[in-house]
Amino acid sequence: EGRGEGPQPHEGRTWARPGLMLYGATPFPAPHAQADQLRPVMTIESRLIAIRDLPAGEPVGYGARFVTPMPMRIGVVAMGYADGYPQFAPDGAPVSIDGRPGRLAGRVSMDMLTVDLSGHPEATVGTPVQLWGDHLPATELARHCGTSAYELLCGVKRVARSWRDS
């Protein structure tokens, strides 16, 4: 009674801190029945701005971290670490290219990243690439990058924002 004890839980009620779930992302490392019902409230998306057909043995990105193991079609996406995409995302980190699974190929630069367009013969300049959202949970990308979804979701910087009612 007014002794500075703070709020007290009432019998039959529980308190919860929703945290990451407010973004529609799961805080659990493994599948969880209730958390699997969450829906993302944030989507980070860009588009292909260039496409190149490269021969086998061609380096892609800074430091030639990725070298094409065979002839490959590589796309350049207008998104980089200055926008909030994780700078140290590894080759193979997931992306969604026009709603279908794809993967990162090469080091993320300040303004761009490169993706493997194998299996995406219909992709053209302007094709949408989702970095996380309804096709790719932020928690999945975070797991590949050795970071947390909190860091991804709170690290978004200079990208244009739009709000939609669902």
Side-chain angles (χ1 to χ4, degrees), residues 33-164:
Q34 283 85 14
D36 292 345
Q37 296 177 41
L38 294 167
R39 299 291 173 254
V41 299
M42 178 191 288
T43 297
I44 298 295
E45 186 174 86
S46 188
R47 298 194 175 275
L48 291 171
I49 59 171
I51 297 173
R52 297 288 181 267
D53 291 303
L54 301 177
E58 189 73 22
V60 175
Y62 290 129
R65 181 181 80 183
F66 181 81
V67 177
T68 56
M70 63 189 118
M72 291 180 75
R73 194 163 174 246
I74 299 291
V76 178
V77 180
M79 174 67 63
Y81 62 79
D83 302 302
Y85 192 82
Q87 182 179 11
F88 300 106
D91 294 321
V95 298
S96 177
I97 301 166
D98 205 14
R100 295 189 10 250
R103 66 187 186 107
L104 191 71
R107 187 171 287 166
V108 176
S109 66
M110 182 187 211
D111 301 307
M112 296 176 278
L113 55 85
T114 47
V115 295
D116 176 2
L117 292 177
S118 301
H120 296 275
E122 73 292 339
T124 60
V125 169
T127 294
V129 177
Q130 187 179 103
L131 292 308
W132 67 77
D134 58 341
H135 295 293
L136 174 64
T139 50
E140 185 177 341
L141 175 61
R143 185 174 50 80
H144 281 276
C145 296
T147 189
S148 72
Y150 291 103
E151 207 170 304
L152 296 179
L153 297 166
C154 293
V156 175
K157 297 177 186 131
R158 62 181 190 176
V159 297
R161 290 166 170 81
S162 63
W163 285 262
R164 292 182 270 189

Side-chain angles (χ1 to χ4, degrees), residues 8-15:
Q8 298 295 312
H10 298 281
E11 188 173 319
R13 295 185 190 170
T14 58
W15 292 75

